[in-house]
Amino acid sequence: MAKLFRAAIMGPPGSGKGTISKRIAQSFGLQYLSSGHYLRESIAANTEAGVLVRSYVERSMLVPDHVMTRLMLPRLEQLIGHSWLLDGFPRTLSQARALDNLCQLDLVISLNIPYETLRERLSDRWVHPGSGRVYNMGFNPPRVQGKDDITREPLIQHDDDKPEALMARLRHYKDVAKPVINLYKSQGILHSFSGTETDRIWPYINSLLSTKMHTQPSDAVQTQTP
Ligand code: G5P
Ligand code: MG
């Protein structure tokens, strides 16, 4: 039986976590869990928890740790026996510790993308609210301008992708991510990738995962980052 593989991808808003996660899930057959997707799903359901979540996401603030762990950990518990990839969780040290209590990650990918690149990308980003499908008017535009490729419903721009919210998100991200990155560095599972284009970073991540997923931990090789 293939070895189980558990990974997480970290990076500031707009760094390409979602784009890269989808490529990883497709190429390596991992289950893909996105914290942003589950949050938007709970907002759309308009439950009591969803109303609370909305109040944070709309202000570009991190959702409290206990809400996040309650949203994510049960989903992971259901995936015992599967390989998976987490996008956007854990984001704080407290979330990372809660995850650690449930299982040990094999690998963490951290994306370092310059601020100017993030700003350009996010101001060009549109989503289909029903499904969470994301488009970029330059990088992956919809087939019909302003319309979702599958449903043809209108695309919208999230309030938290607008410039005033963005600057605050990026600053906050760095402060909160630092201890999480240090934790995974100390565990020897952190791999950082820097660059301005997803298509140039992707081959390095692809080759890292090919190596890691087909190698036992005892004979794992050290991977170069670009
Ligand atoms: P999310 O949904 O996790 P963010 O803010 O972390 O949101 P986001 O915006 O989803 O991150 P991403 O996934 O890192 O960005 O990037 P992406 O969507 O793949 O790419 C961004 C855009 O750039 C897309 O349009 C894409 O097509 C384009 N793109 C990608 N690569 C390239 C390229 O090479 N070139 C070009 N030109 N374009 C490219 O979280 C949302 C909110 O939920 C809460 C927070 O409030 C957060 O703000 N939240 C949490 N709160 C607490 N704890 C947690 N764990 C939380 N998780 C989420
Ligand atoms: Mg995302």
Side-chain angles (χ1 to χ4, degrees):
M1 200 180 91
K3 182 182 164 292
L4 287 183
F5 191 77
R6 275 89 181 247
I9 185 160
M10 298 181 61
S15 56
K17 299 184 295 296
T19 308
I20 289 172
S21 295
K22 280 174 204 130
R23 292 186 191 182
I24 294 175
Q26 215 161 27
S27 304
F28 296 95
L30 301 178
Q31 301 263 355
Y32 163 49
L33 298 96
S34 149
S35 60
H37 172 78
Y38 292 127
L39 288 170
R40 284 188 277 278
E41 201 176 72
S42 104
I43 291 173
N46 214 19
T47 55
E48 203 176 318
V51 172
L52 176 76
V53 163
R54 184 197 298 270
S55 72
Y56 287 93
V57 172
E58 276 181 352
R59 287 177 290 152
S60 307
M61 288 169 67
L62 288 180
V63 173
D65 289 331
H66 69 277
V67 178
M68 280 320 298
T69 50
R70 211 179 298 146
L71 189 73
M72 299 303 290
L73 297 186
R75 291 186 155 89
L76 295 178
E77 280 164 4
Q78 283 172 4
L79 286 178
I80 291 204
H82 289 83
S83 293
W84 44 251
L85 170 69
L86 283 169
D87 161 8
F89 180 90
R91 223 158 179 125
T92 67
L93 191 55
S94 153
Q95 292 175 19
R97 289 194 175 126
L99 176 62
D100 236 16
N101 287 336
L102 183 70
C103 67
Q104 179 67 48
L105 290 174
D106 297 296
L107 181 122
V108 176
I109 293 165
S110 166
L111 302 173
N112 297 322
I113 314 296
Y115 169 72
E116 192 51 30
T117 308
L118 298 176
R119 197 184 58 74
E120 279 169 18
R121 277 186 199 172
L122 292 179
S123 55
D124 242 10
R125 196 172 96 123
W126 292 78
V127 297
H128 173 240
S131 66
R133 274 185 287 278
V134 177
Y135 299 88
N136 180 280
M137 293 312 159
F139 184 67
N140 64 329
R143 279 186 223 119
V144 178
Q145 200 183 348
K147 299 273 162 65
D148 178 51
D149 284 350
I150 298 189
T151 63
R152 302 280 167 196
E153 287 165 357
L155 302 177
I156 59 148
Q157 195 164 36
H158 283 307
D159 285 343
D160 57 349
D161 283 343
K162 292 177 184 161
E164 57 283 10
L166 185 58
M167 199 49 202
R169 277 164 89 195
L170 293 178
R171 236 190 332 254
H172 191 51
Y173 171 82
K174 266 200 162 162
D175 294 343
V176 172
K178 209 170 179 181
V180 184
I181 285 177
N182 287 340
L183 172 73
Y184 292 135
K185 213 184 266 178
S186 76
Q187 293 178 354
I189 57 171
L190 185 85
H191 294 258
S192 298
F193 297 87
S194 305
T196 55
E197 288 170 51
T198 296
D199 285 347
R200 291 176 78 110
I201 292 175
W202 168 242
Y204 292 93
I205 295 182
N206 192 9
S207 103
L208 169 70
L209 282 164
S210 302
T211 309
K212 291 284 178 191
M213 288 185 69
H214 301 111
T215 313
Q216 293 305 316
S218 54
D219 50 50
V221 287
Q222 220 32 54
T223 314
Q224 295 271 316
T225 58

